[in-house]
Coordinates of all heavy atoms in Angstrom, one line a residue:
N194 N 81.9 88.5 107.8 CA 82.0 87.6 106.6 C 83.3 87.7 105.8 O 83.5 87.0 104.8 CB 80.8 87.9 105.7 CG 79.5 87.8 106.3 OD1 79.3 86.9 107.2 ND2 78.6 88.6 106.0
G195 N 84.2 88.7 106.1 CA 85.4 88.8 105.4 C 86.6 89.1 106.3 O 86.5 88.8 107.5
S196 N 87.6 89.6 105.7 CA 88.8 89.9 106.4 C 88.8 91.2 107.1 O 89.7 91.5 107.8 CB 90.1 89.7 105.5 OG 89.9 90.2 104.3
G197 N 87.8 92.0 106.9 CA 87.7 93.3 107.6 C 87.7 94.5 106.5 O 87.6 94.3 105.3
H198 N 87.9 95.6 107.1 CA 87.9 96.8 106.2 C 89.3 97.1 105.6 O 90.3 96.9 106.4 CB 87.4 98.0 107.0 CG 86.1 98.0 107.5 ND1 84.9 98.2 106.9 CD2 85.7 97.5 108.8 CE1 83.9 98.0 107.6 NE2 84.3 97.5 108.8
G199 N 89.4 97.6 104.5 CA 90.7 97.9 103.9 C 90.9 97.3 102.6 O 90.0 96.9 101.9
P200 N 92.2 97.1 102.2 CA 93.4 97.2 102.9 C 93.8 98.6 103.1 O 93.6 99.5 102.2 CB 94.4 96.4 102.1 CG 93.8 96.6 100.7 CD 92.4 96.6 100.8
Y201 N 94.5 98.9 104.2 CA 95.0 100.2 104.5 C 96.5 100.1 104.6 O 97.1 99.2 105.0 CB 94.4 100.8 105.8 CG 93.0 100.9 105.8 CD1 92.1 100.1 106.6 CD2 92.3 101.8 105.0 CE1 90.8 100.2 106.6 CE2 90.9 101.9 105.0 CZ 90.2 101.2 105.8 OH 88.8 101.2 105.8
W202 N 97.2 101.3 104.3 CA 98.6 101.3 104.3 C 99.0 101.8 105.7 O 98.4 102.8 106.3 CB 99.2 102.3 103.4 CG 99.2 101.8 102.0 CD1 98.3 102.0 101.0 CD2 100.3 101.0 101.4 NE1 98.7 101.3 99.8 CE2 99.9 100.7 100.1 CE3 101.4 100.4 101.8 CZ2 100.6 100.0 99.2 CZ3 102.2 99.7 100.9 CH2 101.8 99.4 99.6
Y203 N 100.0 101.1 106.3 CA 100.6 101.5 107.6 C 102.1 101.6 107.4 O 102.8 100.8 106.7 CB 100.2 100.5 108.7 CG 98.8 100.6 109.1 CD1 97.9 99.9 108.5 CD2 98.5 101.3 110.3 CE1 96.5 100.0 108.9 CE2 97.2 101.4 110.7 CZ 96.2 100.8 110.0 OH 94.9 100.9 110.4
A204 N 102.8 102.5 108.2 CA 104.2 102.6 108.3 C 104.7 102.1 109.6 O 104.1 102.4 110.6 CB 104.6 104.0 108.0
Y205 N 105.8 101.4 109.6 CA 106.5 100.9 110.9 C 107.9 101.3 110.9 O 108.7 101.3 109.9 CB 106.4 99.4 110.9 CG 105.0 98.9 111.2 CD1 104.2 98.6 110.0 CD2 104.5 98.7 112.5 CE1 102.8 98.2 110.2 CE2 103.2 98.2 112.6 CZ 102.3 98.1 111.7 OH 101.1 97.6 111.8
W206 N 108.4 101.8 112.1 CA 109.8 102.2 112.2 C 110.2 102.1 113.7 O 109.3 101.8 114.6 CB 110.1 103.6 111.8 CG 109.4 104.7 112.6 CD1 109.8 105.4 113.6 CD2 108.0 105.1 112.5 NE1 108.9 106.2 114.2 CE2 107.8 106.1 113.5 CE3 106.9 104.8 111.6 CZ2 106.6 106.8 113.6 CZ3 105.7 105.5 111.8 CH2 105.5 106.5 112.7
R207 N 111.4 102.1 114.0 CA 111.9 102.0 115.4 C 112.3 103.3 115.9 O 113.0 104.1 115.2 CB 113.0 101.0 115.5 CG 112.5 99.6 115.2 CD 113.2 98.7 116.3 NE 112.6 97.3 116.1 CZ 111.8 96.8 116.9 NH1 111.4 97.3 118.0 NH2 111.4 95.6 116.7
E208 N 112.0 103.6 117.2 CA 112.6 104.7 118.0 C 113.2 104.1 119.2 O 112.5 103.7 120.1 CB 111.5 105.7 118.3 CG 110.9 106.5 117.2 CD 109.9 107.5 117.6 OE1 109.5 107.6 118.8 OE2 109.3 108.2 116.7
G209 N 114.5 103.9 119.1 CA 115.2 103.2 120.1 C 114.8 101.7 120.1 O 114.9 101.1 119.1
T210 N 114.2 101.2 121.2 CA 113.7 99.9 121.2 C 112.3 99.7 121.0 O 111.8 98.6 120.8 CB 114.1 99.2 122.6 OG1 113.4 99.9 123.6 CG2 115.6 99.1 122.9
K211 N 111.6 100.8 120.9 CA 110.1 100.8 120.6 C 109.8 100.7 119.2 O 110.3 101.4 118.3 CB 109.5 102.0 121.2 CG 109.6 101.9 122.7 CD 108.7 103.0 123.3 CE 108.7 102.9 124.9 NZ 107.6 103.4 125.5
L212 N 108.9 99.9 118.8 CA 108.3 99.8 117.4 C 107.2 100.7 117.3 O 106.2 100.7 118.1 CB 107.9 98.4 117.1 CG 107.3 98.2 115.7 CD1 108.4 98.4 114.6 CD2 106.7 96.8 115.6
R213 N 107.2 101.7 116.4 CA 106.2 102.7 116.2 C 105.5 102.4 114.9 O 106.0 101.8 114.0 CB 106.8 104.1 116.1 CG 107.6 104.5 117.4 CD 106.6 104.7 118.5 NE 107.4 105.2 119.6 CZ 107.0 105.5 120.8 NH1 105.7 105.3 121.0 NH2 107.7 105.9 121.8
S214 N 104.2 102.8 114.8 CA 103.5 102.7 113.6 C 102.6 103.9 113.3 O 102.3 104.6 114.2 CB 102.6 101.4 113.7 OG 101.5 101.6 114.7
G215 N 102.3 104.1 112.1 CA 101.5 105.2 111.7 C 100.5 104.8 110.5 O 100.9 104.1 109.5
Y216 N 99.2 105.2 110.7 CA 98.3 105.0 109.6 C 98.5 105.9 108.5 O 98.7 107.2 108.7 CB 96.8 105.3 110.3 CG 95.8 105.2 109.2 CD1 95.3 104.1 108.6 CD2 95.2 106.5 108.8 CE1 94.3 104.1 107.8 CE2 94.1 106.5 107.9 CZ 93.7 105.3 107.4 OH 92.7 105.3 106.5
I217 N 98.5 105.5 107.3 CA 98.7 106.3 106.1 C 97.4 106.5 105.3 O 97.1 107.6 105.0 CB 99.8 105.7 105.2 CG1 101.1 105.7 105.9 CG2 99.9 106.5 103.9 CD1 102.3 105.0 105.2
G218 N 96.7 105.4 105.1 CA 95.4 105.5 104.4 C 95.3 104.5 103.3 O 96.0 103.6 103.2
K219 N 94.3 104.7 102.5 CA 94.0 103.8 101.4 C 94.9 103.9 100.2 O 95.1 102.9 99.5 CB 92.5 103.9 100.9 CG 91.6 103.1 101.7 CD 90.4 102.7 100.9 CE 89.7 101.5 101.6 NZ 89.6 100.4 100.8
T220 N 95.4 105.1 100.0 CA 96.3 105.3 98.9 C 97.8 105.0 99.1 O 98.2 105.2 100.3 CB 96.3 106.8 98.4 OG1 96.6 107.6 99.5 CG2 94.8 107.1 97.9
Q221 N 98.5 104.5 98.2 CA 99.9 104.1 98.3 C 100.7 105.3 98.8 O 100.5 106.4 98.3 CB 100.4 103.6 97.0 CG 101.8 103.0 97.1 CD 102.2 102.4 95.8 OE1 101.4 101.6 95.2 NE2 103.4 102.7 95.3
P222 N 101.6 105.2 99.7 CA 102.4 106.3 100.2 C 103.3 106.9 99.1 O 103.7 106.1 98.2 CB 103.4 105.7 101.3 CG 102.7 104.3 101.6 CD 101.9 104.0 100.5
V223 N 103.4 108.2 99.2 CA 104.3 109.0 98.3 C 105.7 108.5 98.4 O 106.2 108.4 99.6 CB 104.2 110.4 98.3 CG1 105.0 111.2 97.5 CG2 102.7 110.9 98.1

Side-chain angles (χ1 to χ4, degrees):
N194 303 323
S196 39
H198 300 276
Y201 300 112
W202 284 96
Y203 286 86
Y205 290 89
W206 67 94
R207 290 225 175 250
E208 287 180 3
T210 58
K211 293 192 176 200
L212 180 63
R213 302 289 185 183
S214 66
Y216 169 77
I217 296 172
K219 275 209 162 240
T220 58
Q221 183 174 315
V223 177

